[in-house]
């Protein structure tokens, strides 16, 4: 029986060339798998392109709802921002793509899977660690990294074989986009002093454009977004709507130099209108609903969760255990947040919750104050006691000194 290789197919130059390249080098049938994570491309076009590039079969999986509910929502619950800024856009889609690769490999009896990642990035790690975890008997072919499939050779191969890809139209940027946002690198962005040209942006409009503000109310139940302006929606609908609405106000543009797992610093532009709006709203609702120690610990745990996902360890026991913590911690993160979208920013202007820990009677300085200020005096004294004793000791020691 002819061997089969399942290739993670994006429809771009590299993976289109990889179909023939991998096929020729292995003699195997290549099954191209395109996973729709909301990149906004026509999947039927991509499927046909894979077949005309020589794939024995081309499969498309619509994983948008799954990506929204099982990957974006957990990232939101963790307020996941790598290096305090990057909402894990690409890092988040890789484990989902890998899970479908592993499933298809098993369904088709394939013992090899393939991806188009280079050897310089994080994505090779995310793919291969994921495959090793989910399908330990499956091996990985990485033609771009391991078998000399450079960009020039890919173009040469595509031209020689007459592949239906317009190699001249290829943009100077490396772009990866999905429902949670858009990642753009290379081209002039590699000069980290140079400001991004306006043509890098695809999900957001110019934040400086004169446009009236929009105000929306986002509702959450147990840390999960459930409605916009009182309309019940699925996570997929909420994220799609917010990408359009907040994107029109230029919300969620990020320009940063980032620490890759492989040790390289790189400059990347991100656009994440929905992610940034939702995280901003969610963090504020947590301020209202989470007890102080839990909130402090959750911030640390969220950072660790984010680093694990960035570092390709989605399928690790620690990430799974932290997930259980996040679900428990989010139990009472329920209520509404009003957000104003304007000039590139999502600003919270109101919050309310039926299970708020905010207590007007305790907080007010007006009549109606139920806080017993007399209790504060003794509390402050005891709170400072250890520092006071230590300072006394230091003074004595210095005098003897
Ligand atoms: N640096 C980001 C990450 O490692 C994005 C990687 C993909 N970016 C791209 N423009 N192709 O998650």
């Amino acid at each position: 029986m002819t061997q089969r290789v399942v290739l993670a197919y994006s429809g771009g130059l590299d993976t289109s060339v990889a179909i023939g390249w991998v096929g020729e080098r292995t003699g195997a049938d290549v099954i191209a798998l395109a996973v729709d994570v909301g990149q906004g491309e026509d999947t039927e076009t991509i499927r046909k392109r894979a077949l005309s590039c020589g794939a024995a079969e081309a499969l498309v999986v619509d994983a948008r709802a799954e990506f929204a509910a099982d990957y974006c929502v957990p990232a939101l619950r963790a307020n996941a921002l790598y290096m305090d800024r990057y909402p894990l856009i690409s890092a988040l889609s890789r484990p989902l793509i890998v899970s479908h690769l592993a499933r298809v490999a098993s369904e088709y009896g394939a013992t090899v899977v393939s991806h188009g990642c280079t050897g310089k990035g994080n994505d090779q790690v995310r793919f291969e660690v994921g495959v090793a975890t989910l399908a330990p008997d499956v091996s990985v072919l990485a033609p771009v990294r391991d078998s000399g499939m450079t960009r020039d050779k890919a173009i040469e191969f595509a031209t020689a074989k007459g592949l239906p890809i317009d190699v001249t139209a290829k943009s100077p940027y490396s772009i990866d986009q999905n429902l949670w946002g858009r990642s753009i690198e290379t081209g002039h962005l590699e000069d980290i002093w140079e400001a991004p040209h306006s043509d890098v942006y695809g999900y957001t409009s110019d934040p400086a454009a004169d446009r009236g503000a929009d105000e929306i109310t986002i509702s959450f139940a147990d840390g999960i977004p459930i409605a916009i302006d009182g309309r019940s929606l699925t996570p997929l609908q909420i994220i799609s709507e917010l990408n359009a609405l907040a994107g029109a106000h230029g919300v969620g543009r990020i320009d940063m130099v980032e620490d890759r797992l492989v040790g390289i610093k790189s400059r990347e532009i991100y656009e994440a209108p929905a992610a940034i709006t939702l995280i901003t709203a969610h963090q504020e609702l947590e301020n209202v609903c989470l007890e102080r120690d839990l909130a402090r610990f959750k911030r640390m745990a969220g950072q660790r969760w984010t680093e694990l996902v960035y570092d390709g360890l989605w399928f690790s026991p620690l990430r799974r255990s932290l997930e259980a913590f996040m679900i428990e911690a989010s139990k009472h993160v329920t209520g509404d947040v009003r957000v104003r979208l304007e000039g590139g920013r999502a600003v919270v202007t109101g919050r309310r919750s039926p299970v708020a820990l905010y207590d007007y009677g305790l907080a007010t300085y007006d009549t109606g104050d139920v806080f017993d200020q007399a209790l504060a005096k003794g509390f402050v004294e005891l709170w400072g006691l250890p520092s006071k004793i230590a300072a006394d000791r230091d003074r004595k020691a210095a005098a003897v000194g």
Side-chain angles (χ1 to χ4, degrees):
M1 196 183 83
T2 318
Q3 290 293 318
R4 288 162 167 170
V5 175
V6 186
L7 167 73
Y9 184 64
S10 71
L13 171 70
D14 286 347
T15 54
S16 293
V17 167
I19 294 174
W21 188 283
V22 167
E24 280 183 9
R25 275 162 181 70
T26 60
D29 277 348
V30 175
I31 299 168
L33 172 67
V35 182
D36 186 356
V37 283
Q39 56 271 52
E41 284 161 350
D42 181 46
T43 48
E44 192 44 31
T45 308
I46 291 181
R47 207 182 65 79
K48 290 202 180 116
R49 188 178 304 150
L51 291 173
S52 37
C53 289
E57 278 202 54
L59 310 170
V60 170
V61 182
D62 180 357
R64 289 174 301 164
E66 181 189 6
F67 183 53
D70 300 343
Y71 295 81
C72 302
V73 165
L76 170 60
R77 200 161 45 207
N79 299 313
L81 295 171
Y82 179 67
M83 294 174 76
D84 296 328
R85 299 190 68 199
Y86 165 43
L88 294 183
I89 300 159
S90 306
L92 215 49
S93 73
R94 301 314 183 222
L96 171 113
I97 295 170
V98 167
S99 74
H100 285 280
L101 267 183
R103 177 181 57 76
V104 169
S106 142
E107 282 170 15
Y108 281 77
T111 52
V112 180
V113 296
S114 180
H115 62 71
C117 304
T118 72
K120 296 178 71 171
N122 300 310
D123 287 330
Q124 55 173 341
V125 183
R126 297 167 185 152
F127 271 110
E128 293 181 26
V129 172
V131 171
T133 319
L134 297 183
D137 298 330
V138 167
S139 58
V140 179
L141 268 181
V144 177
R145 183 190 63 194
D146 300 337
S147 69
M149 202 190 101
T150 58
R151 195 169 129 71
D152 290 344
K153 288 216 180 111
I155 293 175
E156 204 178 290
F157 187 97
T159 317
K161 305 274 163 175
L163 297 186
I165 322 159
D166 185 357
V167 292
T168 54
K170 197 171 186 303
S171 97
Y173 309 117
S174 161
I175 298 170
D176 180 55
Q177 60 190 41
N178 62 48
L179 192 65
W180 205 231
R182 190 161 176 270
S183 314
I184 310 109
E185 58 183 358
T186 70
H188 73 277
L189 298 168
E190 287 175 356
D191 176 353
I192 62 175
W193 180 248
E194 188 158 348
H197 303 176
S198 59
D199 68 349
V200 307
Y201 298 110
Y203 280 15
T204 54
S205 305
D206 181 0
D210 202 8
R211 190 182 193 282
D214 271 306
E215 211 161 54
I216 51 167
T217 299
I218 306 172
S219 305
F220 293 85
D222 296 348
I224 298 173
I226 53 163
I228 297 177
D229 292 335
R231 287 177 296 121
S232 291
L233 298 166
T234 63
L236 172 58
Q237 290 168 323
I238 289 177
I239 298 165
S240 307
E241 278 198 21
L242 288 180
N243 272 333
L245 187 63
H249 290 280
V251 173
R253 287 189 176 183
I254 299 148
D255 176 351
M256 66 186 281
V257 171
E258 158 185 325
D259 285 317
R260 286 188 195 161
L261 174 60
V262 296
I264 300 170
K265 283 188 187 287
S266 69
R267 200 268 191 101
E268 192 117 27
I269 303 293
Y270 297 108
E271 299 177 275
I276 295 301
T277 304
L278 284 166
I279 290 172
T280 303
H282 177 254
Q283 278 176 328
E284 181 59 9
L285 189 61
E286 286 192 336
N287 291 345
V288 174
C289 297
L290 291 189
E291 180 274 330
R292 189 175 81 134
D293 274 324
L294 178 57
R296 283 185 174 176
F297 188 80
K298 186 173 176 299
R299 276 192 284 275
M300 276 168 40
Q303 201 168 63
R304 194 70 191 92
W305 187 99
T306 304
E307 287 163 359
L308 289 168
V309 175
Y310 184 88
D311 290 349
L313 298 174
W314 177 271
F315 299 104
S316 70
L318 179 54
R319 206 280 306 168
R320 259 187 287 127
S321 304
L322 287 177
E323 207 62 71
F325 166 77
M326 293 293 166
I327 291 168
E328 175 67 23
S330 300
K331 256 184 181 160
H332 299 294
V333 182
T334 297
D336 306 325
V337 182
R338 194 176 57 239
V339 181
R340 192 178 164 83
L341 305 167
E342 189 178 25
R345 304 211 318 138
V347 178
V348 172
T349 61
R351 62 294 271 158
R352 67 183 170 203
S353 166
V355 286
L357 297 180
Y358 175 83
D359 183 328
Y360 178 85
L362 288 175
T364 186
Y365 286 93
D366 295 338
T367 44
D369 184 2
V370 298
F371 184 79
D372 182 356
Q373 298 203 28
L375 294 176
K377 191 171 152 38
F379 165 77
V380 176
E381 225 159 273
L382 293 186
W383 183 251
L385 191 57
S387 296
K388 182 171 175 273
I389 294 170
D392 277 347
R393 187 259 333 260
D394 294 348
R395 266 188 297 273
K396 279 180 196 139
V400 174

